[in-house]
Amino acid sequence: MTKLKKSANGFTYLSVKNEKANAKISLQGAHLFHFSHDEKQPFVWLSKSSLFEQNKAIRGGVPVCWPWFGKHQTQSNLPQHGFARTSLWSLEKIDEPDKGTTIVTLTLNDSPQSMLLWPYAFSLSLTITIGDKLVLSLRTFNKDKKAFEITEALHTYLWVEDIGNVEVSGLENVKYVDSLDDSKIKSSFVPLSIHKEVDRVYFDTKDCCVIHDKKRKLIVEKFGSNSTVVWNPWSEKAKAMQDFDNEGYKTMLCIETANALKNSIIIEPGESHTITQTIYSL
Ligand code: TA6
């Protein structure tokens, strides 16, 4: 069953419920902000203080960072992580191939407003499969007469039971840019555990990550992505963010399927590029 709903402040979202999973997807940003098989252990984390306001990204779920990841390379006045996550997308179609699978497709096209921020004609579509697994597939099509370059991320906030007990494997011996240490290039040969703020872009990696939590493993597989971003703001930065509940950093970890920094993608006119992320639990 899928229903379009409106929250008290007029925020429109799609509520999806099938025999396998529940999900909520906002039309602003094509932003999935809830996914679970049972309410106790959701796949994605959502801040208790998230604002659900127009023109502000939801804090949690899967923000779509596009057509640039992080700060704009040359114009610091442009929005962090691009404009896709705060734009209003169109609900293109909903398919239900079986009782346990719902496939939602949302689209975003260039507009006079987007041209002011990024001067290219484009067509973006996000296909979200809600079932045993959660699959998000972001396709960028170049409708312009000139080639364009993008960086991008499915900025996934995963729910974890206890950040202090989490271990992430799949990033050993992969070089990363440490945003908290003057963008130094580093690597580590052991699985990652998190006991303080982390903000890293692992590059030149196509590998999947496994998040070993207390009672389950979450697998994040990816395709079309050469970077993986890992972020946890820890307590001080969480407190400084109005929309991040103070204790929330203890139950979240961003593992982002990305093409960031030097892994940018050039798309020729008439060509497309797709980035896909599949999450499931064991
Ligand atoms: O993906 C990590 C990151 O780029 C961090 O540097 C951090 O600031 C985060 O994203 C959140 O960004 P936001 O613009 O949503 O506050």
Side-chain angles (χ1 to χ4, degrees):
M1 195 171 53
T2 54
K3 266 191 192 163
L4 257 190
K5 295 189 173 179
K6 247 185 199 203
S7 64
N9 66 350
F11 209 85
T12 309
Y13 66 95
L14 189 69
S15 169
V16 180
K17 192 170 172 49
N18 60 38
E19 285 186 1
K20 295 281 184 188
N22 301 308
K24 290 179 186 162
I25 302 159
S26 150
L27 297 193
Q28 178 178 294
H31 195 141
L32 176 120
F33 60 94
H34 175 76
F35 180 94
S36 66
H37 291 131
D38 62 67
E39 293 307 320
K40 279 185 221 142
Q41 302 247 302
F43 275 22
V44 297
W45 176 90
L46 176 67
S47 168
K48 294 191 177 85
S49 322
S50 196
L51 299 170
F52 289 92
E53 268 177 9
Q54 275 186 8
N55 303 319
K56 179 120 184 71
I58 298 166
R59 180 67 66 194
V62 188
V64 175
C65 302
W66 188 96
W68 58 89
F69 170 81
K71 290 193 174 61
H72 189 273
Q73 265 196 330
T74 53
Q75 286 170 268
S76 58
N77 60 324
L78 292 182
Q80 154 120 323
H81 291 323
F83 53 83
R85 65 177 182 162
T86 49
S87 300
L88 193 61
W89 291 53
S90 303
L91 181 56
E92 189 75 15
K93 60 176 177 158
I94 301 170
D95 294 319
E96 285 167 352
D98 59 64
K99 287 181 178 167
T101 311
T102 309
I103 305 172
V104 178
T105 305
L106 300 113
T107 53
L108 180 70
N109 287 289
D110 56 280
S111 64
Q113 295 93 311
S114 74
M115 283 286 179
L116 294 174
L117 298 166
W118 197 65
Y120 300 100
F122 68 86
S123 183
L124 195 58
S125 73
L126 183 71
T127 304
I128 306 177
T129 304
I130 296 134
D132 251 343
K133 296 181 176 181
L134 169 63
V135 187
L136 292 107
S137 201
L138 179 70
R139 177 179 183 264
T140 305
F141 177 72
N142 184 345
K143 284 199 302 189
D144 213 285
K145 291 196 175 68
K146 44 195 185 300
F148 59 60
E149 184 173 10
I150 58 164
T151 51
E152 59 186 342
L154 296 167
H155 191 302
T156 309
Y157 290 74
L158 296 171
W159 184 91
V160 296
E161 190 171 339
D162 174 13
I163 189 70
N165 274 302
V166 163
E167 198 173 74
V168 180
S169 55
L171 296 168
E172 301 83 79
N173 302 314
V174 177
K175 288 196 177 121
Y176 64 88
V177 174
D178 190 344
S179 310
L180 303 174
D181 188 11
D182 213 14
S183 295
K184 283 190 187 134
I185 310 286
K186 302 180 179 174
S187 71
S188 166
F189 61 91
V190 291
L192 174 66
S193 46
I194 291 136
H195 303 287
K196 58 181 182 171
E197 184 185 356
V198 183
D199 194 350
R200 301 176 178 180
V201 179
Y202 288 81
F203 55 91
D204 297 342
T205 175
K206 295 181 195 300
D207 292 345
C208 92
C209 283
V210 182
I211 295 88
H212 305 259
D213 200 359
K214 259 184 164 173
K215 295 195 196 98
R216 73 171 177 196
K217 278 187 214 160
L218 272 186
I219 320 297
V220 181
E221 286 175 355
K222 59 185 198 146
F223 191 76
S225 152
N226 291 317
S227 321
T228 298
V229 181
V230 179
W231 181 57
N232 183 302
W234 217 248
S235 57
E236 288 313 304
K237 283 214 176 132
K239 276 188 196 138
M241 282 182 267
Q242 190 202 359
D243 61 352
F244 204 114
D245 60 284
N246 287 353
E247 301 299 309
Y249 75 94
K250 293 178 182 167
T251 54
M252 60 73 68
L253 179 63
C254 284
I255 299 287
E256 307 169 32
T257 294
N259 287 304
L261 307 178
K262 75 179 191 89
N263 292 140
S264 65
I265 304 281
I266 293 172
I267 306 176
E268 298 295 331
E271 307 263 296
S272 68
H273 173 79
T274 302
I275 188 170
T276 301
Q277 170 184 265
T278 303
I279 306 175
Y280 57 96
S281 64
L282 287 177

